[in-house]
Amino acid sequence: MVLETSGGTVREQGTAEQDPHARAWVPGQAGSAVPRRHSVRGQVLAALRHALVGGELTPGEVYSAPGLAERYGVSATPVREAMQQLAGEGAVEVVPNRGFRVAERSSRDLAELAEVRAMLEVPAVVRLARALPPERFEALRPLAEAGVAAAARGDRVGYAEADYSFHDALMSLTGNRRLTEVTGDLLRRAQWPPADGPRRRTAELLADASEHTALLDALVAQEYAVAERIAREHVSVARHPH
């Protein structure tokens, strides 16, 4: 069985169609032996996230685990497990005896998510700005640059992952694992496109990505008021409609 993703190919262990001479691709471990089950599930989860952000899975539509498994060339089990995780993130809803319905996100949903993110992330950034030396923030520069590169390509999926990585690393500097988990979950929920609005254009992605670098510039320069303003504007759904 084969799962094709943007990063490579995963073959699931124990299938009759598996090429005994083929080698599986595992993130960070190219050329390794056949991945464990959780690695396949992780690749399926990544592929489904990409499909959601990229608009390949339509809001309001119901998709069955066997149908998605056939699409990705894996068994239904890792698909169900990945979809259950996405259900926990609010991206899909379980439909008994049918499968999973892609959640229909409204503009109001995004506005509420932005409000909660601002309540949590902005004060955290302000505290970090006053507590950490500039070099701690400069270490996040490659993550910000990766986001700019993805945005410049118009790669919504790539930018969504870069955006998540940047915010996860920034919130991780607080040392508060719960805060990092909660803000990461809120960001994931905000990344799924709404059913009632246009998709973001390359210029909008670039504007969003540039705020990562601008925020780092302000933090490194210890310009606290500027950092707070940029952090607040960055999570504003009115400034960055999806």
Side-chain angles (χ1 to χ4, degrees):
M1 293 292 195
V2 179
L3 166 64
E4 298 286 349
T5 71
S6 60
T9 302
V10 170
R11 288 178 175 79
E12 191 174 8
Q13 187 172 12
T15 59
E17 298 174 8
Q18 183 177 331
D19 179 354
H21 301 292
R23 298 181 69 83
W25 181 89
V26 182
Q29 193 177 351
S32 70
V34 175
R36 297 177 182 176
R37 175 176 163 184
H38 69 81
S39 297
V40 176
R41 183 179 64 230
Q43 288 297 295
V44 172
L45 179 61
L48 289 171
R49 281 195 173 124
H50 288 186
L52 285 163
V53 175
E56 298 171 34
L57 298 181
T58 307
E61 290 293 318
V62 177
Y63 296 87
S64 70
L68 290 170
E70 182 176 358
R71 174 188 296 192
Y72 294 123
V74 298
S75 68
T77 298
V79 174
R80 289 193 183 95
E81 292 171 345
M83 288 298 252
Q84 288 289 349
Q85 181 166 339
L86 289 172
E89 296 176 3
V92 300
E93 304 162 352
V94 177
V95 181
N97 302 318
R98 293 184 61 194
F100 301 86
R101 178 184 291 111
V102 177
E104 298 183 85
R105 200 64 50 101
S106 68
S107 296
R108 178 175 178 175
D109 292 328
L110 292 176
E112 291 175 349
L113 286 167
E115 183 177 7
V116 178
R117 286 185 66 199
M119 291 177 179
L120 295 174
E121 291 191 43
V122 175
V125 168
V126 172
R127 291 196 301 271
L128 287 172
R130 298 181 180 277
L132 297 181
E135 56 266 24
R136 295 292 300 278
F137 301 113
E138 191 62 48
L140 273 59
R141 187 76 62 179
L143 296 175
E145 293 173 348
V148 172
R153 297 192 302 270
D155 181 359
R156 290 194 303 268
V157 172
Y159 178 68
E161 290 305 311
D163 186 35
Y164 181 87
S165 295
F166 177 83
H167 283 273
D168 180 69
L170 182 61
M171 289 297 100
S172 293
L173 292 177
T174 65
N176 188 322
R177 292 175 299 169
R178 299 304 180 193
L179 175 63
T180 304
E181 290 173 3
V182 170
T183 54
D185 177 71
L186 290 171
L187 177 55
R188 284 291 191 199
R189 291 171 184 267
Q191 287 179 334
W192 314 132
D196 60 353
R199 296 192 179 279
R200 303 174 76 182
R201 296 172 296 182
T202 298
E204 292 170 331
L205 293 177
L206 274 171
D208 201 56
S210 68
E211 288 180 345
H212 290 165
T213 57
L215 177 59
L216 288 183
D217 290 342
L219 291 170
V220 169
Q222 297 182 314
E223 296 176 342
Y224 307 132
V226 175
E228 180 177 5
R229 174 181 57 79
I230 294 173
R232 191 174 303 280
E233 291 178 349
H234 183 65
V235 299
S236 169
V237 72
R239 184 176 175 85
H240 303 297
H242 283 63

